[in-house]
Amino acid sequence: MDLLPLLPFLACLFVVGFLYASVGHGGASGYLATMALFSIRPELMKSSALLLNVFVSFIAFIQYYRAGYFRGEKFWPFALASVPMAFVGARIPLSDSLYRKILAASLILVVIRLLWQLRGKETESKPIPLAWGLAAGAVIGLLSGMIGIGGGILLSPLMLLFHWAKVKETAASSSLFILVNSISGLIGLFSQGFRPEPQIYIWIMAGLLGGICGSYLGSHRLSASSLNYLLAVSVTLACLKLIFT
């Protein structure tokens, strides 16, 4: 396999894995944006993003768990409904046109999330109402399975907005949330006969290396707000590409 033509694409996967893992995310929305920029065919995008998500979110969760930020009560109300709905969402067939539109809308939410940074002193977190947790988990899980993301990029701002967790507690819960949703979505794809294409393995290595570096720094010392602004620009370009091409 000639890696030279792939280097720009692999470098982008590394950067996405690094940036997203630093805040406890698997990076699926970033991988999808990168694939859109490099004109990867839509039928390969969802499965590839979910596979990358599994490896990178697992690394991110381990780092945040070891740093002592994981709280089970901040995780299970969302995961209880999201996991089965991610399985259902992955089995919903979408046309290329509809897939691109839903993905573009989701990436716009990603841009908003990246530009909105929690500022000032953190307040004490509040308990998560069970009904709200189940409802949010179900909606995020369904969308996650449909377009091939883990849902953390949607869950994180919700948790911070309602003060359900502090920033690094949110990162820890989001990383595990992404992991279980991605696995559920992949099971849904495998049940329909999906088999990974050979090139995905080198893609996984690039994202995983970035995730290892980013999750370690993010769980211990890194503040990546300026990097998030740069990432927001690249995701915006991907949104425009999806909308106008």
Side-chain angles (χ1 to χ4, degrees):
M1 180 184 296
D2 186 3
L3 292 181
L4 188 59
L6 285 176
L7 285 180
F9 178 61
L10 295 177
C12 287
L13 293 181
F14 175 90
V15 171
V16 169
F18 179 93
L19 293 174
Y20 277 78
S22 70
V23 293
H25 292 171
S29 54
Y31 304 133
L32 290 169
T34 300
M35 292 178 201
L37 287 173
F38 282 86
S39 300
I40 303 298
R41 63 185 191 276
E43 64 269 22
L44 185 58
M45 290 170 63
K46 178 165 72 172
S47 57
S48 301
L50 285 173
L51 279 167
L52 283 158
N53 239 20
V54 167
F55 288 92
V56 176
S57 61
F58 175 73
I59 292 296
F61 172 68
I62 292 299
Q63 292 288 3
Y64 275 94
Y65 180 84
R66 291 177 63 186
Y69 292 111
F70 179 69
R71 305 286 182 271
E73 69 274 12
K74 308 292 184 183
F75 163 75
W76 73 262
F78 302 108
L80 193 62
S82 71
V83 171
M85 292 306 291
F87 176 86
V88 172
R91 294 175 60 87
I92 296 176
L94 299 175
S95 67
D96 286 355
S97 175
L98 181 58
Y99 176 81
R100 292 167 75 87
K101 289 176 182 177
I102 295 176
L103 176 58
S106 300
L107 291 178
I108 290 171
L109 294 176
V110 172
V111 173
I112 295 171
R113 165 67 181 96
L114 291 170
L115 292 177
W116 174 55
Q117 299 292 320
L118 190 66
R119 306 201 183 272
K121 185 178 180 180
E122 286 190 301
T123 59
E124 288 299 316
S125 58
K126 304 174 183 177
I128 301 170
L130 181 58
W132 280 99
L134 292 173
V139 172
I140 294 173
L142 181 65
L143 182 61
S144 299
M146 289 174 65
I147 63 174
I149 64 174
I153 201 73
L154 304 176
L155 178 64
S156 293
L158 188 69
M159 295 181 73
L160 294 174
L161 178 64
F162 289 101
H163 304 288
W164 287 337
K166 296 182 179 180
V167 174
K168 293 202 173 183
E169 292 174 349
T170 297
S173 294
S174 292
S175 59
L176 186 56
F177 181 82
I178 292 165
L179 176 62
V180 296
N181 278 336
S182 298
I183 292 173
S184 179
L186 281 172
I187 292 172
L189 291 178
F190 276 110
S191 71
Q192 294 183 308
F194 162 73
R195 294 296 180 269
E197 297 196 19
Q199 66 264 36
I200 187 59
Y201 299 110
I202 190 68
W203 299 3
I204 289 172
M205 288 302 299
L208 186 59
L209 287 173
I212 291 171
C213 298
S215 61
Y216 173 77
L217 292 176
S219 62
H220 291 83
R221 63 190 68 168
L222 183 67
S223 174
S225 59
S226 60
L227 298 178
N228 279 339
Y229 287 116
L230 295 176
L231 185 57
V233 172
S234 66
V235 175
T236 301
L237 291 174
C239 288
L240 295 174
K241 187 176 188 298
L242 285 166
I243 292 170
F244 294 109
T245 60

